[in-house]
Structures are given as structure tokens and as C-alpha cells.
Amino acid sequence: MRFFRDKIFIIFIAVIILVVGAAFIGPKLYNWNSYKPDVIAKIEAQTNGRKAYIDGDISVSLLPSPTATVRGLRIASLPGAAESDLAKLPQVDVHLKFFPLLSGEMAVSGVTLVEPVVNLEVLPDGRKTWDFAAQTAAPAATGQLQPPPIAAPAAPAAGGEETAIGGLTVENGTLIWRDHT
């Protein structure tokens, strides 16, 4: 009887080791960069068509907790801005909740921006580089003050659902402010 119990224990430990090994190695075998066009399209849709670029790789790890990492993310600024990029994000870690992943859903528990550089500018014509609802062209010079446009509510993320983020962490970030008015 003891021999049988020892064999079951060894099989159980072997299965645990295989599952943990697969969770550690499996995501590294997949080419997550194939999702770059989808990620870029979602960012551009949420930023009113601002160009987005991913200069680095996309990777996923399941251990110690599910995390998707994007390296080298850039979001373009408005034409006429001193810097061509509104945001340069060397690394973005999207922390996912484990149990919703088992049912095919993606729930974000938090986002970590590592060493981001954000360039906020008020351009000479009054446009703000961070205002994604603003038009990219300068307003017509009429000689009269115009009220700011009323922004429409943000559209839900692709797929029809909104994504809630549990928290945002910024590690060693830089914020640059320029007011040209």
C-alpha cells in the first residue's frame, strides 16, 4: 500500500513540475510580435488617429503573475509640436488577472510604465498635444475667440467592451511641459 501511495505522490509532483514548466516556457515559444498591428490599431483608435509605433518586442509571461510587456512604444504628437512624440514608453507592463484568462477574458489589474517620457505642449494656436478630441489642423483665424470643442465620449475598446485598469504605476518617469501661447 505504501508503494502505491509513493508512486501516486511522485506522479503528482511530476505533473505539477510539468504544468509549472509549461507555464514558464510556453509563452516564450510564441511570437507575440504578430499582435503588433492589433495593438497599434487599438492605440490609434483610442487616441483619435494619432500614430503609434512599437519599436521593440511584445512578450508575455504567466509566472509569477500574467503580464504582457510592450517595449519601445511611442505615440505621436500633433504637427507643429517641439517633439514629434507625445509619449515615449520604453516599457509598458500590463498586469492581467489570472482567473478571467481561464475563461478567455482579459481583465487588467494594473499597468506599469517604466521610464516614460511625456511631452505636454500648448501650441501657439492653443491646441493641446494631450487633447485627443482636438482636431489635428490649426483652427481657422477668424479674429474672434472660439469656444473649445465639446469632446464626444470615448468609444469603448474594440470588441464593444470597455477595459478598466485596476491601477497605474509610473517608474522613473519624465514629464516635459511647454506652453507656447
Side-chain angles (χ1 to χ4, degrees):
M1 185 67 144
R2 181 170 187 230
F3 177 74
F4 181 70
R5 186 178 48 186
D6 289 346
K7 277 197 167 223
I8 289 179
F9 179 73
I10 290 172
I11 291 172
F12 178 74
I13 295 298
V15 168
I16 295 292
I17 290 172
L18 286 174
V19 168
V20 170
F24 183 74
I25 295 172
K28 297 187 183 331
L29 299 176
Y30 185 77
N31 180 13
W32 297 101
N33 289 324
S34 63
Y35 286 98
K36 277 185 183 182
D38 297 330
V39 172
I40 289 171
K42 286 186 181 195
I43 293 169
E44 289 177 351
Q46 292 297 314
T47 59
N48 200 20
R50 299 274 181 99
K51 287 291 189 189
Y53 307 92
I54 298 176
D55 299 327
D57 290 328
I58 297 175
S59 60
V60 172
S61 64
L62 295 177
L63 296 173
S65 65
T67 305
T69 299
V70 178
R71 289 186 170 75
L73 175 61
R74 296 182 295 123
I75 300 172
S77 193
L78 290 174
E83 294 289 329
S84 60
D85 292 326
L86 170 67
K88 293 179 186 176
L89 307 159
Q91 181 174 322
V92 179
D93 294 326
V94 180
H95 308 282
L96 306 169
K97 294 180 182 176
F98 180 74
F99 289 109
L101 285 176
L102 296 177
S103 63
E105 296 177 21
M106 188 172 79
V108 178
S109 62
V111 175
T112 302
L113 307 177
V114 180
E115 298 181 353
V117 176
V118 179
N119 296 291
L120 301 179
E121 292 185 57
V122 180
L123 301 179
D125 58 16
R127 293 178 296 148
K128 298 170 179 77
T129 58
W130 66 90
D131 185 359
F132 296 118
Q135 297 177 0
T136 56
T142 62
Q144 298 177 2
L145 292 176
Q146 300 291 324
I150 298 173
E161 72 277 352
E162 293 185 19
T163 303
I165 298 174
L168 176 67
T169 303
V170 178
E171 295 178 1
N172 198 24
T174 302
L175 176 66
I176 299 170
W177 170 262
R178 292 183 182 94
D179 189 345
H180 301 288
T181 56

